[in-house]
Amino acid sequence: QKTRRTLNTDIRDLFKSEGRLVDDTLLNELFAKLIRTDMGIGPAETIRDDVATRLRGRVVHFEEVVQTITEQTRTMLQQESTELRLADTGPTVILVVGVNGSGKTTSIGKLANHLHQAGHKVVLGAGDTFRAAAVEQLTVWAGRIGCDIVTGKPEADPASVAFQCVEQAIATGADIAIIDTAGRLQTQTNLMQQLEKIRRVVEKKIEGAPHEVLLVLDATAGQNAISQARGFSEAAGCTGIVLAKLDGSAKGGVVLPIREQFQLPVKFVGLGEGVEDIAPFDPASFANALFSE
Amino acid sequence: MFESLSDGLQSAFKSLAGKGKLTESNMRDGLEIVQKSMLEADVSYSVVQDFMGQVSEKALGKRVLLSLRPNEELVRIVHDELISILGPVDSSLHLKSEGPTIIMLCGLQGSGKTTTCGKLSQLLKEQDIKPMLVAADLQRPAAIEQLHVIGRQLDIPVYSEADNKDPVKVCQNGVAKAKAEGARVVILDTAGRLAIDDELMAELAKIDKKVGPDQVYLVVDGMTGQDAVNSAGAFNDALELDGVIMTKLDGDARGGALLSVKHVTGVPIKFIGTGEHFDALEPFRPEGMASRILQMGDIVAAAREA
Ligand SMILES: Nc1nc2c(ncn2[C@@H]2O[C@H](COP(=O)(O)OP(=O)(O)OP(=O)(O)O)[C@@H](O)[C@H]2O)c(=O)[nH]1
Ligand SMILES: Nc1nc2c(ncn2[C@@H]2O[C@H](COP(=O)(O)OP(=O)(O)OP(=O)(O)O)[C@@H](O)[C@H]2O)c(=O)[nH]1
Ligand SMILES: [Mg+2]
Ligand SMILES: [Mg+2]
């Protein structure tokens, strides 16, 4: 027995053309739309209450409310720069972490291409020695881009692969080394400690490395992404987020509370499975997309 | 968040204590907290609304029977309702007595389809059934190789074609080979796809139509948020689903999306994935999931203490 598919309605539907009174009913409907972005109860209440304070009792038009909300979220997401922090001299090391299947390996491929196109010499480190064919997957990406890759044997110590990757970057005069890691859940203490070890090993080779630790979040993830941001930040010292799979119907609104609680900036968004499908994060267009259809 | 939720619950239940019966007004606070808890667990908003409506109706209908502890009664009603919605239990793969049973796994990118192919194979092997895997993901880099590694690890055959660009043909050829070799079960590993990707959804519908799998399972990531109603809805529209498997429940995700998926598809939840290894697959149990989604332990404790 199939139940009818729940359809996403646009915020626009809430407002008749002649405008609507901002009352409890309307505020509840607005709250529902906010929740559907995955921003969570806290931010949704903040935004709803802000609209109530400003507009309750008034008859408003769609543009007015959307503008209010968009401004609010844009402020919440304000960040200094999405630029990657590059080393002053010697190779920059970027470590990529996240839960299983979030989009790490694919994001590395796309990011490497982005940097390669910008004229950097990139080397990839296949630090996922656990998942079936993870090394082959990253090797395909290296081939697409035409960059070097360092691989270890299956079941090899990921920290040793990371070490070799950094060594090769230094030896070949590469600008950027990007290290892939196996997916893991933030609750798996042993595996989280392994990330700390990778950090230490890399730092031993280059002072100040890793320069970036990017947490790849799946845009379809809900409130658990907050726990992911906490766990991975504690273990691996994340410096930024890549929000993958934003090309689907999910909004990725959970980056709002993450930004609020951990000050983690979103640096890139993933927009597909192709080599070009990555873009620097833009708070304004993200905020606009949150509340569009 | 959590503490404030428990605190809020306790005071909500305190205000219910000794009231003797549940009324719309004295249930309001308790229900609101249940609602918040479900949203925090990633149950989709519309599904939560429906659920709350059902629960308050049930609670009001039963009020004459209640006497001493309306708060515990409310919790019991919520819990029972969740269990009944998540059920019934059916973790059978419905294997046919003759010819190969074809199982197809589908879902969003990275949800755990390929790994689950391995897990189902392991389950079958334990029943002395040797399945054949078919590599129908022609999209993801090294997806075919991934399935072959799994096949080697489990010592089961994997059918793949290096140069074929048409997953429908690959599935047809794979099934034909399985028939010829007398395999009892064939498992099709399809490429991950987005619900809004019309082309890939149409391709999946074509496999469904031309290959005619006996069991089609939607594989859903346990960490999924509000979008679950949309994505599950799209798969449900494109295919005749027979079951749902939710993965990655070995972490601290509450898995509320399962309620959304169940609401939209209406098909049984078959298994949950609790790890990356092949034995990390468990038959679905509604009780455990209901408690997990609602953090029922906390709520029951709060009701008792109030
Ligand atoms: N549509 C879409 N798919 C994506 C995007 N990023 C990754 N994917 C897909 O998501 C799936 C998982 O991506 P991976 O890069 O393998 O994820 P991972 O985090 O490396 O996975 P593990 O190593 O197994 O933990 C693949 O099918 C990718 O093609 C994106 O931005 N958009
Ligand atoms: N912790 C945990 N990880 C899982 C579970 N099931 C799958 N995974 C992991 O999730 C990641 C993605 O799994 P895959 O089986 O490659 O997912 P998929 O749906 O086939 O991905 P695509 O083919 O790219 O769409 C891998 O790292 C798996 O090991 C689970 O139940 N728990
Ligand atoms: Mg990977
Ligand atoms: Mg797969």
Side-chain angles (χ1 to χ4, degrees):
Chain A
Q1 192 63 41
K2 305 211 168 178
T3 322
R4 202 155 48 88
R5 183 175 163 197
T6 320
L7 288 174
N8 232 351
T9 43
D10 197 276
I11 280 195
R12 242 170 280 259
D13 298 346
L14 299 181
F15 303 89
K16 300 192 191 80
S17 56
E18 69 270 25
R20 262 182 71 181
L21 179 70
V22 178
D23 57 5
D24 280 348
T25 312
L26 184 137
L27 290 168
N28 282 342
E29 288 174 36
L30 180 62
F31 182 68
K33 306 292 175 194
L34 295 166
I35 287 294
R36 280 176 201 172
T37 69
D38 283 316
M39 66 170 62
I41 294 178
E45 284 179 343
T46 306
I47 294 174
R48 179 196 59 196
D49 295 347
D50 180 66
V51 170
T53 315
R54 294 202 218 181
L55 301 171
R56 186 190 282 278
R58 283 178 53 192
V59 173
V60 295
H61 285 278
F62 169 71
E63 286 74 17
E64 223 175 328
V65 175
V66 167
Q67 206 187 336
T68 311
I69 300 169
T70 311
E71 271 166 27
Q72 182 93 35
T73 45
R74 208 187 298 160
T75 317
M76 283 174 167
L77 287 167
Q78 220 43 266
Q79 55 192 51
E80 276 161 27
S81 156
T82 57
E83 297 283 309
L84 291 172
R85 191 167 73 90
L86 300 182
D88 297 332
T89 55
T92 298
V93 181
I94 303 174
L95 183 63
V96 178
V97 301
V99 296
N100 306 83
S102 63
K104 295 175 292 300
T105 306
T106 308
S107 298
I108 289 172
K110 296 187 286 186
L111 183 62
N113 182 61
H114 178 80
L115 295 166
H116 181 82
Q117 297 294 325
H120 296 288
K121 184 171 154 71
V122 182
V123 55
L124 305 182
D128 180 357
T129 55
F130 175 75
R131 224 231 24 234
V135 174
E136 287 81 352
Q137 185 187 2
L138 194 68
T139 305
V140 171
W141 279 101
R144 283 181 184 173
I145 300 154
C147 68
D148 285 351
I149 179 168
V150 175
T151 62
K153 293 206 170 57
E155 311 287 313
D157 179 7
S160 81
V161 178
F163 184 81
Q164 286 164 34
C165 175
V166 174
E167 252 184 351
Q168 170 150 338
I170 296 170
T172 60
D175 304 305
I176 298 174
I178 313 180
I179 298 165
D180 194 10
T181 60
R184 66 201 74 212
L185 300 181
Q186 65 277 15
T187 47
Q188 296 169 317
T189 320
N190 289 345
L191 291 177
M192 294 309 280
Q193 281 167 356
Q194 190 184 65
L195 291 179
E196 288 171 34
K197 184 177 170 198
I198 296 176
R199 271 196 75 105
R200 278 199 306 276
V201 160
V202 166
E203 195 177 8
K204 237 179 232 164
K205 200 75 198 158
I206 300 178
E207 212 195 304
H211 306 84
E212 291 276 4
V213 180
L214 298 179
L215 171 64
V216 180
L217 294 180
D218 185 330
T220 58
Q223 300 307 295
N224 189 255
I226 298 175
S227 166
Q228 294 168 30
R230 181 181 300 117
F232 280 95
S233 290
E234 279 169 11
C238 301
T239 56
I241 289 169
V242 178
L243 189 58
K245 310 185 198 173
L246 202 55
D247 47 326
S249 47
K251 302 291 192 180
V254 72
V255 298
L256 267 91
I258 289 176
R259 175 85 191 130
E260 221 174 31
Q261 291 177 40
F262 310 104
Q263 284 75 49
L264 269 182
V266 183
K267 300 222 164 179
F268 291 93
V269 294
L271 298 167
E273 300 179 79
V275 69
E276 305 275 354
D277 297 332
I278 192 165
F281 178 70
D282 172 29
S285 58
F286 180 81
N288 287 335
L290 267 185
F291 307 113
S292 67
E293 199 195 317
Chain B
M1 183 63 221
F2 250 72
E3 263 170 34
S4 67
L5 205 63
S6 302
D7 290 352
L9 265 175
Q10 276 199 28
S11 58
F13 287 129
K14 271 210 180 86
S15 69
L16 271 181
K19 285 283 197 312
K21 61 179 178 181
L22 291 168
T23 66
E24 221 159 294
S25 69
N26 72 16
M27 278 192 318
R28 196 176 298 130
D29 289 351
L31 285 178
E32 195 181 312
I33 284 163
V34 169
Q35 167 167 347
K36 276 195 177 179
S37 184
M38 292 179 81
L39 289 175
E40 286 290 322
D42 292 319
V43 184
S44 296
Y45 188 88
S46 54
V47 177
V48 174
Q49 293 306 104
D50 277 10
F51 180 77
M52 299 319 293
Q54 269 163 264
V55 163
S56 53
E57 217 171 85
K58 287 235 160 103
L60 285 173
K62 280 182 188 167
R63 72 183 170 193
V64 258
L65 300 174
L66 309 173
S67 52
L68 290 169
R69 295 176 177 274
N71 43 18
E72 282 187 21
E73 188 64 17
L74 182 62
V75 170
R76 199 183 56 74
I77 292 168
V78 169
H79 197 203
D80 288 355
E81 190 62 15
L82 258 183
I83 290 172
S84 103
I85 290 177
L86 287 168
V89 175
D90 170 21
S91 47
S92 160
L93 296 175
H94 297 282
L95 300 189
K96 296 192 297 191
S97 48
E98 267 178 53
T101 302
I102 307 169
I103 300 174
M104 177 166 91
L105 300 189
C106 60
L108 298 179
Q109 284 95 344
S111 60
K113 297 172 293 298
T114 308
T115 309
T116 304
C117 285
K119 291 179 180 182
L120 289 175
S121 303
Q122 165 89 7
L123 189 76
L124 289 163
K125 271 185 67 181
E126 281 162 12
Q127 300 162 32
D128 284 326
I129 297 169
K130 206 171 191 181
M132 175 187 272
L133 298 176
V134 176
D137 179 356
L138 310 177
Q139 302 274 332
R140 168 177 169 156
I144 295 174
E145 180 56 21
Q146 185 185 1
L147 204 63
H148 276 287
V149 171
I150 290 172
R152 280 198 294 275
Q153 285 170 345
L154 286 168
D155 188 29
I156 50 171
V158 175
Y159 180 85
S160 69
E161 295 179 35
D163 298 317
N164 202 330
K165 295 271 179 292
D166 182 1
V168 182
K169 293 258 164 57
V170 172
C171 288
Q172 286 172 327
N173 296 343
V175 169
K177 178 132 196 271
K179 273 186 185 145
E181 292 185 2
R184 280 207 53 204
V185 180
V186 188
I187 306 178
L188 313 176
D189 179 33
T190 66
R193 65 203 75 216
L194 293 171
I196 55 161
D197 189 330
D198 293 336
E199 204 176 307
L200 283 181
M201 289 305 287
E203 175 195 283
L204 199 59
K206 199 168 162 197
I207 300 178
D208 194 22
K209 204 164 140 246
K210 299 243 163 146
V211 184
D214 303 288
Q215 296 279 300
V216 179
Y217 299 148
L218 179 65
V219 180
V220 182
D221 187 322
M223 296 175 272
T224 311
Q226 296 285 320
D227 191 52
V229 274
N230 297 321
S231 52
F235 281 98
N236 192 50
D237 286 350
L239 307 165
E240 285 286 333
L241 293 178
D242 298 286
V244 171
I245 298 174
M246 181 167 263
T247 61
K248 309 182 196 173
L249 286 176
D250 38 327
D252 60 358
R254 286 167 63 184
L258 194 55
L259 207 59
S260 313
V261 174
K262 177 75 194 190
H263 183 90
V264 172
T265 66
V267 296
I269 299 149
K270 296 275 176 183
F271 299 97
I272 61 170
T274 55
E276 297 190 70
H277 293 284
F278 298 131
D279 57 2
L281 188 75
E282 298 175 10
F284 175 65
R285 284 180 35 248
E287 297 79 15
M289 204 62 205
S291 304
R292 181 181 188 131
I293 290 175
L294 212 46
Q295 299 288 325
M296 212 34 110
D298 290 9
I299 291 186
V300 171
R304 294 246 158 81
E305 279 170 42

